[in-house]
Amino acid sequence: MWHKNQKTRSRGFTLIELLAVLGIAVLLAAGGIAALSHFRTARILDNQTEIFFSLFDQARTDTLASKNGENYGVHLATSSISLFRGTAFDTSTSTETTALPASLEIANISLAGGGSDVVFDRLTGTTKNAGTFTLRVVTDPTEKVVFEIATTGKVELQENE
């Protein structure tokens, strides 16, 4: 039974309880945003990797088919990749250029003969420009894929170390 002298208990929340709940919510949101950002960056890296494979394949295929009677190659720049015709890159010989998203960059280009062009031979599809290059996330260079170009003209991802 309830008496007049008994203290009534408030049914609201204290300021400390509200701050604790708000703090937990902020921590959960920050963790979710970080995970979402990492997932988004990984998807962008995967998509660009597929585009790179496609451009190398197209350059090699066009060369083997002697399209327009010319060689084709791929030019690597820090923020773009270009398909070109001929034996050396020039902006006038570029047939397709793909700009990278601002979050990605091409780095560590190490091709035989130096430079940043991979040109394919018309009769065999091979290249004298074998080597490696890295496609990486600008803000986290440890998130990357390393492409390896064989003298046969085949392009693969290098195994992680």
Side-chain angles (χ1 to χ4, degrees):
M1 178 170 245
W2 187 73
H3 296 299
K4 272 184 155 181
N5 292 341
Q6 282 183 326
K7 290 186 180 181
T8 59
R9 187 147 201 250
S10 171
R11 294 185 183 231
F13 295 104
T14 66
L15 181 59
I16 291 179
E17 290 172 328
L18 287 174
L19 289 175
V21 169
L22 185 61
I24 291 170
V26 166
L27 286 175
L28 290 173
I33 289 170
L36 185 61
S37 175
H38 176 74
F39 175 76
R40 183 178 179 275
T41 301
R43 292 288 304 149
I44 291 170
L45 191 59
D46 288 346
N47 288 341
Q48 285 303 130
T49 298
E50 292 302 318
I51 290 169
F52 278 33
F53 276 122
S54 176
L55 284 175
F56 275 100
D57 185 55
Q58 184 178 351
R60 189 167 186 266
T61 301
D62 287 351
T63 299
L64 283 169
S66 290
K67 182 177 177 182
N68 299 323
E70 297 194 59
N71 295 64
Y72 286 81
V74 175
H75 173 74
L76 303 167
T78 304
S79 60
S80 66
I81 183 170
S82 300
L83 175 67
F84 66 92
R85 66 181 185 286
T87 57
F89 175 75
D90 181 316
T91 53
S92 66
T93 63
S94 176
T95 62
E96 182 179 342
T97 297
T98 301
L100 297 179
S103 60
L104 299 179
E105 68 182 353
I106 297 172
N108 306 325
I109 301 169
S110 178
L111 302 176
S116 55
D117 295 344
V118 177
V119 179
F120 297 97
D121 181 73
R122 280 183 44 198
L123 296 176
T124 62
T126 61
T127 184
K128 294 177 183 162
N129 311 111
T132 61
F133 70 92
T134 304
L135 176 62
R136 68 183 183 192
V137 176
V138 174
T139 57
D140 184 3
T142 61
E143 285 193 56
K144 64 184 179 183
V145 290
V146 179
F147 290 83
E148 187 168 9
I149 304 152
T151 55
T152 61
K154 186 175 181 184
V155 179
E156 294 182 332
L157 293 181
Q158 203 174 60
E159 292 296 318
N160 290 337
E161 301 165 0

